[in-house]
Amino acid sequence: MNRKLYKVERNFMGKGYLSYSATAILQAVANGYQYGFDIMDMTGLPSGTVYPALRRLEDLGLVKSKWEKQSIAQADQRPPRKYYELTRGGEAALAEAVKRYRLLEQTPALKPSKPTSERG
Amino acid sequence: MSSSKRFVRRFANPARGLIYLIGIIVPQGLRRDWRQEWEAELQHREMMLSEWDNLNWRNKGELLKRSLGAFRDALLLQPQRLEDEMFQDVRFGVRRLLKTPGFTLIAVLTLALGIGATTAIFSVVNTVLLRPLPFKEPDRLVMVRETKFPQFSEFAVSPANFLDWQQQNTVFEQLVGVRPVTVNLTGTGDPERLNGATLTDGFGALLGVTPQLGRDFLSEENQVGRNNVVLLSHNLWQRRFGGEPDIINQKIILDGQPYTVVGVMPAGFKFLEWQSELWIPLAFTPQQAQNRGGHNISLVVGRLKPDITHEMARVEMSALASRLEMQYPEVNAGWNVILMPLLDATVRTIKPALLLLLAAVAFVLVIACVNVANLLLAKAAVRQREIAIRTALGAGRFRIIRQLLTESVLLAIVGGTAGLLLANWGLQLLLQLAPQDLPRVANVSLDARVLAFSAVITLLTGILFGLVPALHASKPNLQEPMKDASRGLTAGGNRQRMRSSLVVVEIAAALVLLVGAGLMLKSFWRLLQVDPGFAPEQALTMTVALPQNKYGDGTRQTAFFQQLLDNVKALPGVESVGAASHIPLDGNDSVVSYEVKGQPPAPPGSFTSANYFIIEGDYFGAMGIPLRKGRVFSEHDTKDAPLVVMINETFARKNFPDENPIGKSLNFDSADNPVYREIIGVVGDVKYYGLDREATQQLYFPASQEPERKMTLVARTAGDPLALTTAIRNQVHHLDKNQPVSDIKTLAQLVSTSIVSQRFSIWLLGIFATVALVLAAVGIYGVLSYVVAQRTHEIGIRMALGAGRREVFRLVVGHGMQLTMIGVVAGLSVAFVLTRLMATLLFNVSATDPLTYTLIGLLLVVVALLACYIPARRATRVDPLVALRHE
């Protein structure tokens, strides 16, 4: 078994299942919403929930973060943004959690909200 | 960019300004990334909004709302901040400790000594006093014995009373009588004498122990004629029978009788700390079952019913005893029962000594802590400037205390770890010194509870010795350190007082410990001076117990021993030889009640008793017991000659205060049918129960008139007594090749074994007291050295103004002695109160023995003087010119 996966399962056992909001955030990341603000737009959750949840998910090894390439940020004259991706453990945890929160399956796949975020 | 411009730019956008502000509470290690993430998001969103829509007030408000969420994000990162700072503290602490290796080493060693000694002693206390007995629900096990005479706090139980208890009580699930036995094992290999126990029905259920092999006794096996069955110890099974499983149902020969082995007990099984190697059912003949006057069941162990408390059981059993007293007034008058939890009964003899050692070692720990606290205070003085600067830069008092405490706890953890190693090592040493009969000593180990204990005391000591210096050093006083440093005079008066009072505490604690050790030492010395009443040097003893079936007849017993003594006497190197049913200090007990012819009988319920010995050959000569009056037994005192008895001086003094006892007669049978024995001689007293006990009344009977199966041989030798062991044993085997001998030891060993627990306590107390004395001396030295260093400037001025070396010397020594005297007075007062608690452990020494108090007080003063000397001398060498420049 993959080590990370094991860690996820242990955390599941130890801390109980992912909360609804954590699952929603994970789902949003899985659907390609990679930045904190986009995830807020997508899920409708406030920033005071999304950021701490992202940090916890990262500690659990369900998501990982990277800094945007300097060149892209420079072109926009702003600091590089931090974006989040699902890990393999995150995918497994999401699949598990979605079974519990059926409703989330109906979330649309990447559909640009008003302020389009650039990717890639 | 100027800072004002940067400020304006940063706060021109309220949302981003807010992120900057909130970032302050984010742990330092995360702060940069955290701010960047939030700022980048905000900037990007602003950009998008201004491109796509427009950055109107509504959108700006929305952004501000989002940035407020950062506050919650930052708050949730706080635990990491603590962790972060703790790491910082620990890192800093480690660096500081490594920077001053000398200080660290001394502090760690001091702590290791304190924590190690405490842990080692605690592990003994834990195993011996605290660990539950290894039986099912051990809290419900109770020892029951009878009690009547003030001189014996408790007594063995008579069979008839025991059987009545068993039938009539309502508080016990099981009640089992136990009587130790020794039997001779013959048939396979060398004959061997084995210790065992006989038990009434219900033994397995009582303890909740089942045999490892075979079965427990059946109820019907507690009947005479069916009780020739035996349970073996694991050790005996391995040792004598090669651990063969087919031992079950085999017959072995004990005392010449065949016994069927029904089971083997599990390895390590031990009951009542007796070194039993086998267990046999205890069966009573109808006649024995009626015996109410002969108390010969050594003790009774019961298992309380689940809801019954000890108190309820005590009340019930007392009521039962009163009923039996009324029912059988002639034999049961005055007899009551005594109950005690089995664990307490097992450890009661050693408990006071162990608690004393634990208290002593706690004193060592306190002294160690005080010493390290003193070192830390001295160090804090050096660091005062550093702390002042950190405070000036905004460090809170809590932050500084935390930093200092982290350092001291760090020190304690290193000290504690070293202490644990020391404890592990010290424990081996301790167990070698420990008396072999110390209950449960074989199981002493560092278990989880001991580790938890030492972890707790480690942390506590870390906080204890760290807190005072930390509180002190962190006082928010920014000016004094600067002033102190510039003045260089008797600086930091407050801290000085603190250090001085710590030294006083240390001296007082050391004194209490030394007084305790001194009293024990004096008590032990008194014990060594005790005349046991016999000459322990150059005498060998060994026990020969003849089996009942082969030597049941008294004539055969006497013949065997007479022949043996004659043969041994003929051996080269043997000066004199005798034998006795038992010898002093061997742990046996024999009591007989008597009546003096011509004196009124003792009132009913009271009891005149004496210890008795049945002797053979030149017992008094071999033991070195002097004859005071009359004659000793001779070959003419045969079975058919008039019955005779010898008494000791105490017996003579008690019963014939102003008369010559020779020619008087004693009766040992019932008053209605007296059989008188004439007193023919008086010998010196011997210490029977222990060197620290009064000599009892003692009687001697000749074996020819009162034959005995089990005798202990005593041979006085010209050379090394142990060299004759084989020769004497061969003489026994020459007479009977199946006859084992046991308990081979010299009389000197017997005496030395009888005081082994006192010796054990003395050794440990002595070590602790020495450590305490050294630590206290180091403490005084440390403080005075520091004072002299601090006062160099002042001393220089004094000398420049005309003070001589002598005055300076007196100044420094005076200061040290002032502290010492306060400590000594405080210590003596505390010792005066505390040593009363150890009064029961002392022999012939009062707990407030003035000589010990005076000598110990003087000893501490002398040691303190020595500790003052070096700093004082250093002070007299101060060169005023150098001192005045001294900063």
Side-chain angles (χ1 to χ4, degrees), chain B residues 716-772:
Chain B
R716 183 153 295 276
T717 59
D720 174 17
L722 285 171
L724 278 161
T725 309
T726 318
I728 299 180
R729 203 201 317 238
N730 285 344
Q731 291 304 322
V732 176
H733 291 167
H734 179 68
L735 287 177
D736 183 342
K737 70 173 173 43
N738 278 333
Q739 181 55 51
V741 294
S742 61
D743 302 328
I744 301 166
K745 50 180 75 149
T746 65
L747 266 187
Q749 279 170 345
L750 206 63
V751 173
S752 145
T753 311
S754 77
I755 53 172
V756 73
S757 58
Q758 286 97 328
R759 181 175 293 135
F760 176 61
S761 308
I762 281 291
W763 263 105
L764 290 181
L765 269 184
I767 292 171
F768 298 157
T770 313
V771 170

Side-chain angles (χ1 to χ4, degrees), chain B residues 492-511:
Chain B
N494 208 359
R495 187 176 329 111
Q496 197 49 55
R497 264 196 303 284
M498 180 63 71
R499 296 200 64 191
S500 298
S501 33
L502 283 180
V503 166
V504 168
V505 169
E506 197 169 20
I507 291 172
L511 192 108

Side-chain angles (χ1 to χ4, degrees), chain B residues 89-110:
Chain B
D89 284 353
V90 169
R91 248 195 337 261
F92 186 69
V94 168
R95 268 212 308 273
R96 281 215 68 98
L97 293 180
L98 288 179
K99 233 168 120 185
T100 46
F103 160 82
T104 308
L105 191 71
I106 291 175
V108 164
L109 278 182
T110 310

Side-chain angles (χ1 to χ4, degrees), chain B residues 604-642:
Chain B
S606 76
F607 189 63
T608 46
S609 70
N611 296 124
Y612 71 89
F613 303 83
I614 292 163
I615 63 168
E616 175 82 70
D618 185 12
Y619 174 72
F620 296 118
M623 285 292 286
I625 300 173
L627 178 70
R628 301 289 188 213
K629 227 175 241 175
R631 64 169 180 93
V632 296
F633 303 128
S634 71
E635 67 272 21
H636 305 298
D637 297 314
T638 57
K639 194 168 67 161
D640 309 315

